[in-house]
Amino acid sequence: RHYVHTGMIGLDGEKMSKSRGNLVKVSQLRSAGVDPAAIRLGLLAGHYRTDRMWSDTVLDTARARLDRWRRAAALPSAGSADDTIARLRQHLADDLDTPKALAALDNWVDEALTYGGSDTDAPTLITDAVDALLGIRLR
């Protein structure tokens, strides 16, 4: 009963398609040792309704983001996660706005890595929320 129109993923300035032979397959990326969480983050970085390009830069940015998130999730404590998780849910509920959801998490990670915090539950709460809401394992 629902219709969702998604944007196209392109490569080298053209849409990806079998007929053009310019596909980047997840199976190929996985065979090359790319972390599936980085692939997912690269795809989630753009809004699902917008056309966007896939590139090595997109993947490198996603890998760096994943590394930062995992470092923050491994901290013994950080600032409260409550507001971040609420914003994550809010952005996802608003037309699956993944770019804003990722930005909310980036803000928490920046604060955690720069200033730390005293909430010993926060890293676990963020880890669980990212896994449950985005399907990305941080530990």
Side-chain angles (χ1 to χ4, degrees):
R1 296 184 184 213
H2 299 282
Y3 175 81
V4 177
H5 180 76
T6 62
M8 296 290 201
I9 305 287
L11 181 69
D12 298 328
E14 298 179 337
K15 80 171 193 169
M16 276 196 223
S17 69
K18 254 185 353 185
S19 63
R20 292 184 180 168
N22 65 345
L23 296 177
V24 176
K25 296 180 182 177
V26 171
S27 60
Q28 292 169 326
L29 292 171
R30 291 288 296 125
S31 293
V34 177
D35 187 329
I39 299 167
R40 183 179 291 253
L41 268 176
L43 292 170
L44 292 176
H47 194 278
Y48 77 92
R49 283 189 288 118
T50 61
D51 292 344
R52 54 203 185 277
M53 291 293 141
W54 181 262
S55 67
D56 289 338
T57 303
V58 169
L59 185 56
D60 291 343
T61 300
R63 283 176 168 153
R65 175 180 262 159
L66 182 61
D67 178 64
R68 288 180 54 75
W69 286 12
R70 285 181 171 159
R71 283 190 286 130
L75 292 172
S77 63
S80 175
D82 296 341
D83 181 59
T84 300
I85 293 170
R87 285 187 295 130
L88 174 62
R89 287 181 175 139
Q90 176 187 4
H91 294 312
L92 293 176
D94 181 16
D95 194 27
L96 201 61
D97 194 342
T98 55
K100 284 185 182 175
L102 300 187
L105 289 164
D106 287 338
N107 288 336
W108 182 86
V109 166
D110 290 343
E111 291 287 320
L113 292 175
T114 303
Y115 303 110
S118 60
D119 187 340
T120 56
D121 292 329
T124 299
L125 291 171
I126 289 291
T127 297
D128 292 346
V130 169
D131 186 14
L133 299 172
L134 298 175
I136 296 171
R137 293 188 185 269
L138 297 182
R139 292 189 183 162

